[in-house]
Amino acid sequence: MRRTVFNEDHEAFRETLRAFIEAEVVPVYDEWFQAGQAPRDFYYKLAELGIFGIRVDEEFGGAGIDSYKFEAVMYEETSRAGVQFGGSGVHVLLGLPYIKMLATDEQKKRFLPKFVSAEEMWALAMTEPGTGSDLAGMKTTAKLSEDGTHYVLNGAKTFITGGVHADRVIVAARTSPSSAEDRRFGISLFAVDTKSEGYSVGRKLDKLGLKTSDTAELAFVDVKVPVEDLLGEENKGFYYLGHNLASERWGIAYGAYAQAKAAVRFAKQYVQERTVFGKPVASFQNTKFELAACQAEVDAAEAVVDRALEALDAGELTPAEAASAKLFATEVAHRVIDRCLQLHGGYGFMNEYPIARLYADNRVNRIYGGTNEIMKSIIAKDMGL
């Protein structure tokens, strides 16, 4: 089936990006993998390529293209090459929507030019130790000073992707107590400068997968946050977080689909080259049937994520639709990547083969952005159940 989601501009971008990955990422990717993060300087190269400014208005140095389709191409091309762009995905997919939706004109003038140039890399800090998906239960607080010039931030966050290299972090904190009637009330969002006194990065977490994406623990001890760095209105942070979860979950869904598609490519190449009992592995009926079944699942996932992409670009992707896309695509990727690794035999368990890294990288897709159990709850509620 011919895809209609991309046009000539997207395909030209794909060619440029593929060449960039081959020249700038593939040769050094093993070094990043061992180091547990991409180097900070790499983000300047992405900025030069225009990656960070695609959806940013031209007045702030961006391209002014209001579409997620170029990001979709990035998911496909990085997965195809078996690489990642470090923590930069959070910068664009998670950080930018909050700036565009909540920032004042003054804030946009301060934040966006540095966002586009990679002078300031952004991350999002919601999750806290012990709270998981229960955002309403967060304990981090931000209290307004007596003179009204700043907030005093105290607390801790964990599992913060991009947290090691971040220059600005959107931190969710309690500015008012919750009530029995509404536990979600009282959360606000702040664009915190990581150079602030009292701000510290704890452990760089040692993850099962996503090894080149830095993930950290953050701590705040009496961090002074100027009132000018409050994003949106006070106490409405939970609503803002919920509003942007649709795009985040679409991103996870699309990334999972791209990984599944790449897994089939890796497995097909491997079984055509690998010989057992004097014959290529690809010649056995079981191999053909397994890859055919995987391809059918990838085709189905492609239709789902493409439909979600069109809805997202049109501003019509509902929370339930985003949850459904994430649930379906991540479960498909789980099955497909596992079967493709099996076709590699023992070599599939070796990190020198991209399928092994893909297997580890994929596992978190069913956890972050809201676990798949949470996705089922959202879908069921939308069904009136």
Side-chain angles (χ1 to χ4, degrees), residues 14-336:
R14 185 189 302 278
E15 291 181 13
T16 299
L17 186 61
R18 187 173 296 184
F20 173 83
I21 290 171
E22 288 299 321
E24 300 290 345
V25 182
V26 172
V28 294
Y29 195 70
D30 283 346
E31 297 174 19
W32 298 3
F33 188 85
Q34 295 302 323
Q37 63 186 32
R40 178 64 173 82
D41 289 348
F42 173 67
Y43 298 141
Y44 291 113
K45 294 182 179 180
L46 290 178
E48 291 173 6
L49 195 63
I51 296 293
F52 298 148
I54 293 172
R55 290 192 288 114
V56 175
D57 291 343
E58 293 181 32
E59 63 179 300
F60 304 116
I65 301 172
D66 190 19
S67 172
Y68 284 81
K69 292 183 178 180
F70 291 93
E71 287 169 48
V73 172
M74 281 188 276
Y75 281 121
E76 292 187 0
E77 290 305 307
T78 51
S79 293
R80 179 185 182 277
V83 301
Q84 301 162 357
F85 284 168
S88 65
V90 167
H91 181 67
V92 176
L93 186 66
L94 301 189
L96 185 58
Y98 288 98
I99 302 173
K100 292 181 68 172
M101 179 175 72
L102 302 176
T104 63
D105 290 341
E106 183 275 331
Q107 288 175 325
K108 288 179 180 177
K109 290 176 182 177
R110 277 197 292 134
F111 296 151
L112 286 175
K114 294 180 180 180
F115 180 99
V116 171
S117 68
E119 184 178 343
E120 285 189 349
M121 294 297 294
W122 288 61
L124 178 64
M126 295 189 291
T127 305
E128 296 183 359
T131 62
S133 296
D134 182 20
L135 296 181
M138 68 177 60
K139 305 298 184 184
T140 298
T141 60
K143 297 182 179 180
L144 188 63
S145 63
E146 291 185 3
D147 61 7
T149 61
H150 62 272
Y151 291 85
V152 180
L153 183 67
N154 283 282
K157 300 290 181 178
T158 192
F159 305 147
I160 309 307
T161 304
V164 174
H165 285 318
D167 303 289
R168 285 264 177 188
V169 178
I170 300 173
V171 178
R174 282 212 163 274
T175 43
S176 295
S178 62
S179 64
E181 295 76 24
D182 186 4
R183 293 178 65 240
R184 301 175 178 182
F185 175 80
I187 294 172
S188 301
L189 303 182
F190 301 89
V192 179
D193 186 341
T194 63
K195 296 185 295 295
S196 302
E197 185 178 352
Y199 178 102
S200 63
V201 177
R203 292 186 301 151
K204 179 165 73 76
L205 300 173
D206 183 16
K207 307 185 298 296
L208 170 67
L210 302 178
K211 289 291 189 179
T212 64
S213 175
D214 56 294
T215 302
E217 295 173 331
L218 307 179
F220 322 108
V221 179
D222 293 334
V223 176
K224 293 182 178 179
V225 183
V227 292
E228 293 82 9
D229 288 345
L230 171 70
L231 284 174
E233 295 182 40
E234 195 177 84
N235 298 324
K236 291 189 176 181
F238 198 98
Y239 164 77
Y240 300 141
L241 292 171
H243 183 274
N244 283 333
L245 277 174
S247 61
E248 178 182 353
R249 287 167 180 163
W250 164 81
I252 296 169
Y254 209 98
Y257 147 72
Q259 289 176 325
K261 182 178 180 180
V264 173
R265 176 175 177 267
F266 296 145
K268 178 183 174 183
Q269 181 179 8
Y270 178 82
V271 299
Q272 287 176 328
E273 296 173 353
R274 172 76 167 156
T275 300
V276 251
F277 305 119
K279 299 194 306 184
V281 175
S283 68
F284 293 92
Q285 186 183 65
N286 179 69
T287 303
K288 296 176 182 179
F289 281 8
E290 284 293 287
L291 282 177
C294 287
Q295 184 61 54
E297 290 220 70
V298 170
D299 287 344
E302 180 177 273
V304 169
V305 297
D306 280 0
R307 184 183 68 174
L309 173 55
E310 295 285 19
L312 181 63
D313 268 9
E316 298 171 354
L317 184 64
T318 68
E321 290 168 345
S324 179
K326 178 187 184 291
L327 175 64
F328 183 76
T330 56
E331 294 292 345
V332 164
H334 162 62
R335 293 191 296 269
V336 167

